[in-house]
Short mmCIF file of all heavy atoms in Angstrom, two decimals:
data_model
loop_
_atom_site.label_atom_id
_atom_site.label_comp_id
_atom_site.label_asym_id
_atom_site.label_seq_id
_atom_site.Cartn_x
_atom_site.Cartn_y
_atom_site.Cartn_z
N ILE V 1 -4.37 87.49 -51.89
CA ILE V 1 -4.78 87.25 -50.54
C ILE V 1 -5.43 88.48 -49.93
O ILE V 1 -6.46 88.40 -49.34
CB ILE V 1 -3.56 86.72 -49.76
CG1 ILE V 1 -3.22 85.36 -50.19
CG2 ILE V 1 -3.88 86.83 -48.23
CD1 ILE V 1 -1.80 84.85 -49.64
N ARG V 2 -4.84 89.65 -50.16
CA ARG V 2 -5.38 90.87 -49.68
C ARG V 2 -6.79 91.11 -50.11
O ARG V 2 -7.63 91.68 -49.39
CB ARG V 2 -4.41 92.06 -49.89
CG ARG V 2 -3.20 92.17 -49.13
CD ARG V 2 -2.41 93.40 -49.37
NE ARG V 2 -1.07 93.26 -48.80
CZ ARG V 2 0.02 92.73 -49.52
NH1 ARG V 2 -0.06 92.49 -50.82
NH2 ARG V 2 1.22 92.64 -48.88
N GLU V 3 -7.07 90.86 -51.35
CA GLU V 3 -8.32 91.08 -51.94
C GLU V 3 -9.47 90.28 -51.35
O GLU V 3 -10.68 90.67 -51.41
CB GLU V 3 -8.26 90.93 -53.51
CG GLU V 3 -7.46 92.00 -54.17
CD GLU V 3 -7.21 91.80 -55.59
OE1 GLU V 3 -7.70 90.75 -56.18
OE2 GLU V 3 -6.50 92.66 -56.27
N MET V 4 -9.15 89.20 -50.66
CA MET V 4 -10.13 88.37 -50.00
C MET V 4 -10.86 89.17 -48.92
O MET V 4 -12.12 88.80 -48.65
CB MET V 4 -9.48 87.14 -49.46
CG MET V 4 -9.07 86.12 -50.34
SD MET V 4 -8.75 84.52 -49.61
CE MET V 4 -7.38 84.89 -48.44
N LYS V 5 -10.23 90.13 -48.34
CA LYS V 5 -10.89 90.84 -47.18
C LYS V 5 -12.22 91.47 -47.64
O LYS V 5 -13.10 91.38 -46.94
CB LYS V 5 -9.94 91.85 -46.65
CG LYS V 5 -10.53 92.65 -45.48
CD LYS V 5 -9.49 93.54 -44.83
CE LYS V 5 -10.15 94.28 -43.59
NZ LYS V 5 -9.24 95.25 -43.09
N ALA V 6 -12.16 92.00 -48.86
CA ALA V 6 -13.36 92.69 -49.36
C ALA V 6 -14.41 91.68 -49.91
O ALA V 6 -15.56 92.05 -50.23
CB ALA V 6 -13.03 93.69 -50.49
N GLN V 7 -14.01 90.46 -50.19
CA GLN V 7 -14.78 89.43 -50.88
C GLN V 7 -15.44 88.39 -49.96
O GLN V 7 -16.32 87.76 -50.37
CB GLN V 7 -14.02 88.79 -52.02
CG GLN V 7 -13.61 89.80 -52.98
CD GLN V 7 -12.56 89.12 -54.03
OE1 GLN V 7 -12.21 88.06 -53.86
NE2 GLN V 7 -12.30 89.89 -55.06
N ILE V 8 -14.83 88.24 -48.79
CA ILE V 8 -15.38 87.21 -47.89
C ILE V 8 -15.78 87.84 -46.56
O ILE V 8 -15.03 88.43 -45.88
CB ILE V 8 -14.24 86.14 -47.51
CG1 ILE V 8 -13.75 85.49 -48.90
CG2 ILE V 8 -14.75 85.11 -46.53
CD1 ILE V 8 -12.60 84.53 -48.67
N GLU V 9 -17.15 87.84 -46.42
CA GLU V 9 -17.83 88.64 -45.39
C GLU V 9 -17.47 88.29 -44.00
O GLU V 9 -17.55 89.06 -43.06
CB GLU V 9 -19.34 88.60 -45.54
CG GLU V 9 -19.89 87.18 -45.47
CD GLU V 9 -19.67 86.26 -46.63
OE1 GLU V 9 -19.34 86.68 -47.73
OE2 GLU V 9 -19.94 85.05 -46.48
N SER V 10 -16.91 87.06 -43.77
CA SER V 10 -16.61 86.67 -42.40
C SER V 10 -15.21 87.25 -41.91
O SER V 10 -14.92 87.08 -40.67
CB SER V 10 -16.65 85.15 -42.20
OG SER V 10 -15.66 84.54 -43.02
N ILE V 11 -14.44 87.79 -42.81
CA ILE V 11 -13.14 88.27 -42.43
C ILE V 11 -13.28 89.56 -41.69
O ILE V 11 -13.88 90.58 -42.20
CB ILE V 11 -12.23 88.46 -43.62
CG1 ILE V 11 -11.89 87.06 -44.25
CG2 ILE V 11 -10.92 89.15 -43.23
CD1 ILE V 11 -11.19 87.09 -45.54
N VAL V 12 -12.82 89.70 -40.46
CA VAL V 12 -12.79 90.89 -39.67
C VAL V 12 -11.62 91.73 -40.01
O VAL V 12 -11.67 92.98 -40.23
CB VAL V 12 -12.80 90.66 -38.17
CG1 VAL V 12 -12.64 91.88 -37.27
CG2 VAL V 12 -14.07 89.85 -37.70
N ASP V 13 -10.50 91.14 -40.14
CA ASP V 13 -9.19 91.84 -40.56
C ASP V 13 -8.24 90.83 -41.24
O ASP V 13 -8.36 89.56 -40.95
CB ASP V 13 -8.62 92.45 -39.35
CG ASP V 13 -7.69 93.57 -39.74
OD1 ASP V 13 -7.59 94.12 -40.84
OD2 ASP V 13 -7.14 94.24 -38.74
N LEU V 14 -7.45 91.36 -41.98
CA LEU V 14 -6.49 90.47 -42.80
C LEU V 14 -5.19 91.27 -42.98
O LEU V 14 -5.31 92.48 -43.42
CB LEU V 14 -7.11 90.00 -44.12
CG LEU V 14 -6.23 89.16 -44.99
CD1 LEU V 14 -7.21 88.34 -45.80
CD2 LEU V 14 -5.32 89.82 -45.84
N HIS V 15 -4.03 90.69 -42.75
CA HIS V 15 -2.79 91.26 -43.04
C HIS V 15 -1.89 90.20 -43.59
O HIS V 15 -1.89 89.01 -43.11
CB HIS V 15 -2.06 91.79 -41.73
CG HIS V 15 -2.89 92.87 -40.97
ND1 HIS V 15 -2.92 94.10 -41.34
CD2 HIS V 15 -3.76 92.62 -40.04
CE1 HIS V 15 -3.68 94.83 -40.60
NE2 HIS V 15 -4.20 93.97 -39.76
N CYS V 16 -1.07 90.57 -44.51
CA CYS V 16 -0.12 89.49 -45.15
C CYS V 16 1.10 90.43 -45.53
O CYS V 16 1.01 91.60 -45.98
CB CYS V 16 -0.61 88.72 -46.18
SG CYS V 16 -1.11 89.55 -47.62
N GLY V 17 2.25 89.79 -45.62
CA GLY V 17 3.51 90.48 -46.08
C GLY V 17 4.74 89.69 -45.94
O GLY V 17 4.72 88.44 -45.60
N LYS V 18 5.80 90.29 -46.33
CA LYS V 18 7.14 89.65 -46.52
C LYS V 18 7.83 89.82 -45.25
O LYS V 18 7.99 90.86 -44.59
CB LYS V 18 7.87 90.39 -47.70
CG LYS V 18 9.24 89.65 -47.97
CD LYS V 18 9.84 90.37 -49.14
CE LYS V 18 11.12 89.61 -49.47
NZ LYS V 18 11.75 90.09 -50.74
N ASN V 19 8.54 88.72 -44.79
CA ASN V 19 9.38 88.68 -43.64
C ASN V 19 10.67 89.52 -43.95
O ASN V 19 11.40 89.23 -44.87
CB ASN V 19 9.73 87.29 -43.25
CG ASN V 19 10.57 87.09 -42.06
OD1 ASN V 19 10.84 88.11 -41.25
ND2 ASN V 19 11.04 85.93 -41.79
N PHE V 20 11.00 90.45 -43.09
CA PHE V 20 12.24 91.24 -43.23
C PHE V 20 13.45 90.76 -42.36
O PHE V 20 14.53 91.23 -42.41
CB PHE V 20 12.00 92.71 -43.05
CG PHE V 20 11.57 93.08 -41.68
CD1 PHE V 20 12.36 93.20 -40.59
CD2 PHE V 20 10.24 93.34 -41.56
CE1 PHE V 20 11.82 93.52 -39.35
CE2 PHE V 20 9.69 93.63 -40.32
CZ PHE V 20 10.53 93.78 -39.21
N THR V 21 13.15 89.68 -41.56
CA THR V 21 14.14 89.07 -40.73
C THR V 21 14.85 87.96 -41.53
O THR V 21 14.28 87.11 -42.00
CB THR V 21 13.53 88.47 -39.46
OG1 THR V 21 12.84 89.51 -38.74
CG2 THR V 21 14.61 87.83 -38.54
N ASP V 22 16.15 88.13 -41.57
CA ASP V 22 16.97 87.15 -42.32
C ASP V 22 17.59 86.15 -41.33
O ASP V 22 18.48 86.50 -40.54
CB ASP V 22 18.10 87.77 -43.11
CG ASP V 22 18.78 86.84 -44.04
OD1 ASP V 22 18.17 85.77 -44.42
OD2 ASP V 22 20.01 87.09 -44.35
N SER V 23 16.99 84.87 -41.27
CA SER V 23 17.58 83.84 -40.42
C SER V 23 17.53 82.53 -41.15
O SER V 23 16.78 82.35 -42.12
CB SER V 23 16.73 83.82 -39.15
OG SER V 23 15.45 83.45 -39.38
N LYS V 24 18.32 81.62 -40.69
CA LYS V 24 18.39 80.28 -41.38
C LYS V 24 17.03 79.62 -41.38
O LYS V 24 16.38 79.58 -40.40
CB LYS V 24 19.41 79.43 -40.67
CG LYS V 24 19.62 78.14 -41.39
CD LYS V 24 20.66 77.37 -40.62
CE LYS V 24 20.91 76.01 -41.40
NZ LYS V 24 21.08 74.86 -40.62
N ASP V 25 16.69 79.17 -42.50
CA ASP V 25 15.37 78.40 -42.73
C ASP V 25 14.17 79.21 -42.33
O ASP V 25 13.12 78.61 -41.92
CB ASP V 25 15.42 77.13 -42.03
CG ASP V 25 16.52 76.17 -42.44
OD1 ASP V 25 16.77 76.21 -43.77
OD2 ASP V 25 17.11 75.35 -41.66
N HIS V 26 14.22 80.48 -42.45
CA HIS V 26 13.10 81.35 -42.13
C HIS V 26 11.98 81.16 -43.08
O HIS V 26 12.15 80.83 -44.28
CB HIS V 26 13.43 82.72 -41.96
CG HIS V 26 13.76 83.46 -43.23
ND1 HIS V 26 15.04 83.32 -43.87
CD2 HIS V 26 13.06 84.23 -44.10
CE1 HIS V 26 15.08 83.94 -45.01
NE2 HIS V 26 13.86 84.52 -45.19
N TYR V 27 10.71 81.50 -42.72
CA TYR V 27 9.63 81.65 -43.60
C TYR V 27 9.67 83.02 -44.25
O TYR V 27 9.96 83.88 -43.61
CB TYR V 27 8.28 81.51 -42.83
CG TYR V 27 8.07 80.01 -42.38
CD1 TYR V 27 8.42 79.56 -41.18
CD2 TYR V 27 7.43 79.10 -43.26
CE1 TYR V 27 8.24 78.31 -40.72
CE2 TYR V 27 7.18 77.79 -42.83
CZ TYR V 27 7.69 77.40 -41.60
OH TYR V 27 7.49 76.12 -41.20
N SER V 28 9.28 83.12 -45.55
CA SER V 28 9.55 84.30 -46.20
C SER V 28 8.27 85.26 -46.15
O SER V 28 8.44 86.45 -46.24
CB SER V 28 9.81 84.09 -47.74
OG SER V 28 8.71 83.42 -48.29
N HIS V 29 7.13 84.73 -45.97
CA HIS V 29 5.93 85.59 -45.88
C HIS V 29 4.97 85.03 -44.80
O HIS V 29 4.99 83.76 -44.50
CB HIS V 29 5.20 85.51 -47.24
CG HIS V 29 6.00 86.26 -48.30
ND1 HIS V 29 7.09 85.71 -48.85
CD2 HIS V 29 5.78 87.42 -48.79
CE1 HIS V 29 7.64 86.59 -49.76
NE2 HIS V 29 6.80 87.61 -49.79
N ALA V 30 4.02 85.84 -44.42
CA ALA V 30 3.01 85.43 -43.39
C ALA V 30 1.66 86.01 -43.72
O ALA V 30 1.63 87.14 -44.28
CB ALA V 30 3.49 85.90 -41.98
N LEU V 31 0.68 85.35 -43.20
CA LEU V 31 -0.78 85.88 -43.35
C LEU V 31 -1.35 85.76 -41.98
O LEU V 31 -1.20 84.71 -41.31
CB LEU V 31 -1.46 84.91 -44.36
CG LEU V 31 -2.96 84.91 -44.30
CD1 LEU V 31 -3.46 86.30 -44.82
CD2 LEU V 31 -3.56 83.90 -45.19
N ILE V 32 -2.07 86.78 -41.59
CA ILE V 32 -2.93 86.77 -40.47
C ILE V 32 -4.32 87.11 -40.80
O ILE V 32 -4.51 88.20 -41.41
CB ILE V 32 -2.40 87.69 -39.30
CG1 ILE V 32 -0.94 87.28 -38.87
CG2 ILE V 32 -3.31 87.72 -38.00
CD1 ILE V 32 -0.19 88.25 -38.00
N VAL V 33 -5.31 86.30 -40.43
CA VAL V 33 -6.66 86.65 -40.69
C VAL V 33 -7.43 86.56 -39.34
O VAL V 33 -7.28 85.58 -38.58
CB VAL V 33 -7.38 85.71 -41.73
CG1 VAL V 33 -8.67 86.18 -42.11
CG2 VAL V 33 -6.46 85.55 -42.92
N ILE V 34 -8.24 87.47 -39.09
CA ILE V 34 -9.08 87.50 -37.84
C ILE V 34 -10.60 87.30 -38.19
O ILE V 34 -11.06 87.90 -39.11
CB ILE V 34 -8.91 88.84 -37.11
CG1 ILE V 34 -7.46 89.22 -36.84
CG2 ILE V 34 -9.81 88.88 -35.82
CD1 ILE V 34 -6.74 88.20 -35.97
N PHE V 35 -11.24 86.43 -37.39
CA PHE V 35 -12.67 86.18 -37.53
C PHE V 35 -13.29 86.33 -36.26
O PHE V 35 -12.71 86.19 -35.13
CB PHE V 35 -12.86 84.72 -38.01
CG PHE V 35 -12.15 84.36 -39.34
CD1 PHE V 35 -10.82 83.80 -39.24
CD2 PHE V 35 -12.64 84.59 -40.52
CE1 PHE V 35 -10.26 83.52 -40.45
CE2 PHE V 35 -12.00 84.31 -41.74
CZ PHE V 35 -10.80 83.77 -41.72
N LYS V 36 -14.62 86.65 -36.35
CA LYS V 36 -15.41 86.74 -35.06
C LYS V 36 -15.54 85.48 -34.31
O LYS V 36 -15.49 85.53 -33.10
CB LYS V 36 -16.81 87.34 -35.48
CG LYS V 36 -17.67 87.57 -34.32
CD LYS V 36 -18.96 88.15 -34.77
CE LYS V 36 -20.06 88.22 -33.66
NZ LYS V 36 -21.33 88.61 -34.08
N ASP V 37 -15.72 84.41 -35.05
CA ASP V 37 -15.92 83.13 -34.47
C ASP V 37 -15.42 81.91 -35.28
O ASP V 37 -15.00 82.17 -36.45
CB ASP V 37 -17.38 82.96 -34.01
CG ASP V 37 -18.29 83.17 -35.13
OD1 ASP V 37 -17.96 83.07 -36.25
OD2 ASP V 37 -19.49 83.62 -34.87
N ILE V 38 -15.54 80.78 -34.83
CA ILE V 38 -15.04 79.54 -35.59
C ILE V 38 -15.91 79.43 -36.85
O ILE V 38 -15.43 79.08 -37.88
CB ILE V 38 -15.08 78.24 -34.63
CG1 ILE V 38 -14.01 78.45 -33.58
CG2 ILE V 38 -14.88 77.11 -35.52
CD1 ILE V 38 -14.00 77.30 -32.60
N LYS V 39 -17.20 79.72 -36.71
CA LYS V 39 -18.08 79.65 -37.91
C LYS V 39 -17.52 80.56 -39.07
O LYS V 39 -17.59 80.26 -40.28
CB LYS V 39 -19.45 80.07 -37.58
CG LYS V 39 -20.50 80.02 -38.77
CD LYS V 39 -21.90 80.36 -38.41
CE LYS V 39 -22.80 80.33 -39.51
NZ LYS V 39 -24.11 80.96 -39.26
N GLY V 40 -17.04 81.72 -38.78
CA GLY V 40 -16.40 82.68 -39.72
C GLY V 40 -15.22 82.00 -40.34
O GLY V 40 -14.97 82.13 -41.60
N LEU V 41 -14.45 81.33 -39.50
CA LEU V 41 -13.23 80.65 -40.14
C LEU V 41 -13.67 79.59 -41.10
O LEU V 41 -13.03 79.48 -42.11
CB LEU V 41 -12.39 80.05 -38.95
CG LEU V 41 -11.25 79.15 -39.35
CD1 LEU V 41 -10.18 79.89 -40.24
CD2 LEU V 41 -10.56 78.61 -38.13
N GLU V 42 -14.66 78.87 -40.69
CA GLU V 42 -15.11 77.72 -41.58
C GLU V 42 -15.70 78.29 -42.89
O GLU V 42 -15.50 77.70 -43.95
CB GLU V 42 -16.20 76.83 -40.93
CG GLU V 42 -15.59 76.02 -39.82
CD GLU V 42 -14.47 75.14 -40.23
OE1 GLU V 42 -14.55 74.44 -41.36
OE2 GLU V 42 -13.43 75.06 -39.59
N THR V 43 -16.48 79.40 -42.78
CA THR V 43 -16.95 80.01 -44.04
C THR V 43 -15.79 80.43 -44.94
O THR V 43 -15.82 80.15 -46.13
CB THR V 43 -17.73 81.33 -43.62
OG1 THR V 43 -18.84 80.95 -42.82
CG2 THR V 43 -18.20 82.04 -44.82
N TYR V 44 -14.76 80.92 -44.38
CA TYR V 44 -13.59 81.35 -45.08
C TYR V 44 -12.96 80.20 -45.87
O TYR V 44 -12.54 80.22 -47.00
CB TYR V 44 -12.65 82.05 -44.14
CG TYR V 44 -11.16 82.18 -44.61
CD1 TYR V 44 -10.81 83.18 -45.43
CD2 TYR V 44 -10.18 81.31 -44.15
CE1 TYR V 44 -9.39 83.33 -45.82
CE2 TYR V 44 -8.84 81.42 -44.39
CZ TYR V 44 -8.54 82.42 -45.32
OH TYR V 44 -7.19 82.58 -45.69
N ARG V 45 -12.68 79.10 -44.95
CA ARG V 45 -12.03 77.87 -45.54
C ARG V 45 -12.71 77.33 -46.76
O ARG V 45 -12.16 76.86 -47.69
CB ARG V 45 -12.02 76.85 -44.48
CG ARG V 45 -10.85 77.04 -43.47
CD ARG V 45 -10.74 75.91 -42.60
NE ARG V 45 -9.77 76.11 -41.60
CZ ARG V 45 -9.78 75.70 -40.31
NH1 ARG V 45 -10.74 74.89 -39.99
NH2 ARG V 45 -8.78 75.96 -39.51
#
């Protein structure tokens, strides 16, 4: 996932990682990707 940032030109920024909060039924990892506009998101998809 991290390597996509260098390979997909429409990505402005990208972060992903492991959740360190331990709670019932929590999600273990998250991804945040920033795009300039909706067209950039569609290019990524």
Side-chain angles (χ1 to χ4, degrees):
I1 289 171
R2 285 184 193 97
E3 290 172 2
M4 287 193 300
K5 184 175 179 183
Q7 300 172 351
I8 301 176
E9 61 284 346
S10 65
I11 295 174
V12 173
D13 204 2
L14 182 151
H15 301 276
C16 64
K18 185 174 183 175
N19 180 8
F20 58 82
T21 302
D22 187 24
S23 61
K24 185 178 183 217
D25 296 327
H26 70 278
Y27 289 93
S28 62
H29 291 73
L31 163 67
I32 301 172
V33 189
I34 306 297
F35 303 95
K36 181 179 173 186
D37 51 28
I38 292 174
K39 183 179 175 188
L41 174 61
E42 289 305 314
T43 297
Y44 163 81
R45 283 187 181 150

